Amino acid sequence: MTFTLTPITYLDIILAALAVYGITRVVSKRSSLPLPPGPRRLPIIGNLFDMPMSKEWETFSKWGKEYGDVVSVTVLGQSIVILNSVKPAIDMLDRSSAIYSDRPVIPMAGELVGWKNIMGLLPYADRHKRYRRLAKQLFGSTKTMEAFHPAEELETHRFLKRLLSQPDRLVQHVQKTAGAIILRITHGYIVQEGEDPFVTLADTAMEQFSVSSSNAFIVNIVPALKYVPQWMPGAGFQKTAKEWAATLEEMVDRPYQWVKSRVANGTAEISFVSNLLNEGLGRGEEEFEIKWSAASLYSGGADTTVSAILSFFKAMLLWPEIAQKAQAEIDSVIGNDRLPTFADRDQLPYVNAVVLEALRWHTVAPTGIPHRVMQDNIYNGYFIPKGALVFANIWKMCHDPAVYPDPMVFKPERYLGQVPQMNPSDMSFGFGRRICPGRVLADASLFITCAMVLAVYDISPYTENGVLDRPPTVEQMPGLVSHPNKFRCNIKPRSKKTLSLIEAEDQS
Ligand code: HEM
């Protein structure tokens, strides 16, 4: 796919700076209290040139060392507050969630393409609360999630089979399985082997989201440009926005119509959408909210789960002794006549600790999604202005040596024994009223994948023409959702017995 982007020039930046100059002055005069500390601001542009172009969490962590756990910068009049430890994140985003739960407006992705209707970008208002209520009914707790355990087990078994037939396509299989599980739960849809039309559509729309929410589009820096008509020179982004809006609409509507027709003829599987339609919902506004909240779950859940599962594979490659310890636990609890299931979970403390460590070691959403402050506020003597964007530096929280000694080492033992270290689920899924609504599903997917994969496969260094690969480097790639950097590995059945478990007919 090719994208036409509008390059940003210094003139653009200066224009944007002048446009917001007035706002800066108003904000800075609103309180006599100081903003939280941070790097020195220049007149008008503030910290524009201090802002990292990617991997923000690294710069944010450096600032944290210099200025403390609550840091602030200003970019073209926009205040940005960075929280580098759990305490201020809980104080502000959880305890004061009534005023810390809005989201920023992203002109290109949100307004022009239409992603503003997705849960993650909705303003904090009634519609957002209704979406969340719907999602909570579905998988708000381990109990409600139980209805979907058979589907999770079945799809993960299909994943094992795909790995057997094409072990070199790990990333594609993980992507397919994550999409398959969510589409099954939200729409009762079973993905096709090979290319699946709904998965392809969703992946295209997500790719477009990633570009349209970046500063590659100047309209994201100068929002007033969104009013420029399409025929004006330089307004090519309006045409792109129209095309991408059509993809998004299709991604939201097609799977919904698919379920609707099955509910009408009585052949729909149990799912988020079919449950709601069977309850008699689905007219006008309700229909809009059902289909957009279902699509929100796909867009929030597919890529994040992929990142977490890939990091698990990489960790098992780098720390084979940990994989062996987990395998010994699985063998002693389950034997090797069947695959693990959710019913075994309580008897597998070490595997559960591997799941937690995978979540911490590689931080899937290193800076979360920014929250926007809805009212002026004071925190520890600092002024937090209305409209400020608050980033939780989740990467730092998960790699703080004071909380997790040797933070780059994968050590599931951290969570076992008399004095376990902090549970990384407490921060990995964000905070307050915006906390990830898919966290119970994410945890379930991670557990069943780790348990089933370890039960039947050995993960070892890749060999090409008899030459062993060197251990992969450990790096988090840029992005709101960060994947581990590329690596390859051998994935082989542990024994003839486990091979027969992989090849067996589906259990569920
Ligand atoms: C390992 C997997 C996952 C991680 C680490 C993760 C992490 C996060 C984080 C950090 C946020 C931002 C929270 C905040 O603003 O404070 C978030 C939001 C969100 N997540 Fe997840 N997530 C994961 C899986 C999922 C899954 C499986 C789903 C859906 C099925 C999902 C759906 C969402 C949605 C819809 C939001 C937006 C919530 C809102 O704005 O109200 N996520 N997630």
Side-chain angles (χ1 to χ4, degrees):
M1 188 187 324
T2 54
F3 299 109
T4 320
L5 304 180
T6 319
I8 301 169
T9 63
Y10 279 103
L11 179 65
D12 293 326
I13 292 172
I14 290 164
L15 283 175
L18 289 173
V20 295
Y21 180 49
I23 304 168
T24 320
R25 288 167 60 91
V26 172
V27 167
S28 59
K29 280 188 180 159
R30 262 205 325 248
S31 171
S32 55
L33 290 171
L35 294 167
R40 204 167 65 84
R41 299 161 167 82
L42 293 172
I44 305 178
I45 59 169
N47 301 99
L48 181 67
F49 297 119
D50 295 321
M51 285 306 278
M53 297 304 280
S54 71
K55 299 195 184 180
E56 299 80 357
W57 59 93
E58 292 180 351
T59 308
F60 290 177
S61 303
K62 258 188 243 146
W63 289 342
K65 265 195 193 146
E66 215 173 325
Y67 304 105
D69 283 349
V70 183
V71 174
S72 82
V73 287
T74 306
V75 177
L76 301 171
Q78 171 66 61
S79 292
I80 298 174
V81 176
I82 296 140
L83 310 177
N84 277 309
S85 74
V86 175
K87 184 176 176 338
I90 290 181
D91 288 345
M92 293 157 101
L93 307 181
D94 269 356
R95 302 215 168 106
S96 300
S97 59
I99 59 166
Y100 276 90
S101 294
D102 207 2
R103 289 289 196 212
V105 173
I106 310 178
M108 179 70 182
E111 306 288 304
L112 296 177
V113 181
W115 285 94
K116 67 178 175 191
N117 294 315
I118 225 83
M119 189 195 294
L121 288 187
L122 270 185
Y124 182 62
D126 287 347
R127 174 168 280 172
H128 176 258
K129 288 179 200 157
R130 286 196 295 273
Y131 277 27
R132 291 212 52 124
R133 209 173 304 129
L134 293 177
K136 195 168 171 195
Q137 280 170 18
L138 184 71
F139 38 62
S141 70
T142 324
K143 192 85 207 130
T144 54
M145 192 53 223
E146 273 171 16
F148 298 104
H149 282 169
E152 283 258 353
E153 287 164 1
L154 187 78
E155 288 297 342
T156 312
H157 190 184
R158 289 176 83 189
F159 169 63
L160 300 180
K161 289 183 176 177
R162 290 182 195 124
L163 274 180
L164 186 68
S165 63
Q166 295 172 304
D168 285 347
R169 291 173 59 82
L170 171 67
V171 176
Q172 288 84 347
H173 299 324
V174 173
Q175 281 168 337
K176 177 125 202 174
T177 308
I181 289 176
I182 296 183
L183 276 173
R184 184 136 191 183
I185 292 178
T186 53
H187 295 82
Y189 175 78
I190 299 176
V191 299
Q192 299 168 11
E193 289 303 330
E195 183 152 326
D196 180 273
F198 288 174
V199 173
T200 307
L201 186 57
D203 288 348
T204 308
M206 291 299 294
E207 213 176 306
Q208 292 171 349
F209 170 73
S210 148
V211 183
S212 60
S213 57
S214 75
N215 283 349
F217 285 98
I218 184 74
V219 61
N220 285 339
I221 301 176
V222 188
L225 287 178
K226 74 178 179 196
Y227 300 110
V228 172
Q230 192 179 318
W231 51 263
M232 288 259 295
F237 65 92
Q238 295 281 19
K239 184 165 173 274
T240 310
K242 275 215 176 91
E243 286 165 15
W244 291 2
T247 318
L248 173 61
E249 183 58 35
E250 217 188 326
M251 166 193 146
V252 173
D253 198 51
R254 263 181 62 193
Y256 174 77
Q257 295 303 342
W258 182 89
V259 187
K260 201 174 162 182
S261 63
R262 272 158 188 77
V263 168
N265 64 26
T267 57
E269 288 226 1
I270 142 175
S271 73
F272 176 69
V273 174
S274 67
N275 286 359
L276 294 169
L277 292 179
N278 282 327
E279 280 171 29
L281 302 172
R283 272 171 233 108
E285 184 81 349
E286 282 165 359
E287 176 164 78
F288 181 91
E289 295 190 355
I290 293 171
K291 67 181 178 183
W292 279 87
S293 51
S296 303
L297 299 175
Y298 188 94
S299 57
D303 205 27
T304 41
T305 310
V306 170
S307 163
I309 290 176
L310 289 176
S311 81
F312 155 75
F313 272 89
K314 189 180 225 179
M316 294 304 99
L317 174 63
L318 286 166
W319 281 277
E321 66 284 5
I322 287 170
Q324 283 155 15
K325 218 167 153 182
Q327 286 171 331
E329 181 181 74
I330 293 170
D331 293 349
S332 77
V333 172
I334 296 163
N336 51 16
D337 289 332
R338 63 174 179 88
L339 290 171
T341 68
F342 283 100
D344 302 310
R345 191 162 189 180
D346 290 347
Q347 279 85 56
L348 298 172
Y350 196 77
V351 175
N352 283 310
V354 169
V355 169
L356 290 182
E357 188 63 341
L359 209 52
R360 183 201 68 81
W361 177 68
H362 171 91
T363 311
V364 169
T367 52
I369 308 176
H371 291 220
R372 189 165 71 158
V373 187
M374 298 153 76
Q375 255 176 47
D376 286 352
N377 188 233
I378 294 166
Y379 181 71
N380 276 358
Y382 294 121
F383 179 55
I384 311 290
K386 175 180 173 181
L389 300 184
V390 182
F391 285 85
N393 186 358
I394 299 174
W395 183 88
K396 176 67 188 352
M397 296 173 195
C398 289
H399 293 83
D400 184 343
V403 183
Y404 300 107
D406 295 328
M408 298 313 293
V409 177
F410 193 95
K411 218 191 282 181
E413 288 76 8
R414 298 175 191 282
Y415 313 106
L416 303 169
Q418 293 295 310
V419 194
Q421 292 171 22
M422 188 188 264
N423 185 331
S425 312
D426 292 349
M427 56 275 212
S428 303
F429 295 106
F431 298 91
R433 298 185 194 180
R434 288 288 187 166
I435 193 169
C436 174
R439 60 198 184 282
V440 180
L441 170 61
D443 170 65
S445 299
L446 264 176
F447 165 75
I448 201 69
T449 308
C450 296
M452 282 200 185
V453 167
L454 288 166
V456 298
Y457 282 119
D458 277 327
I459 300 156
S460 58
Y462 195 82
T463 34
E464 198 158 35
N465 305 325
V467 182
L468 208 65
D469 260 9
R470 279 201 274 175
T473 52
V474 174
E475 201 188 325
Q476 295 223 179
M477 299 312 283
L480 196 72
V481 174
S482 164
H483 284 231
N485 61 327
K486 259 195 175 161
F487 66 99
R488 48 187 195 171
C489 55
N490 272 339
I491 301 169
K492 294 220 168 98
R494 290 174 62 201
S495 65
K496 276 199 179 138
K497 191 86 198 202
T498 66
L499 173 64
S500 63
L501 289 181
I502 301 166
E503 287 174 329
E505 285 297 304
D506 295 325
Q507 289 186 330
S508 309

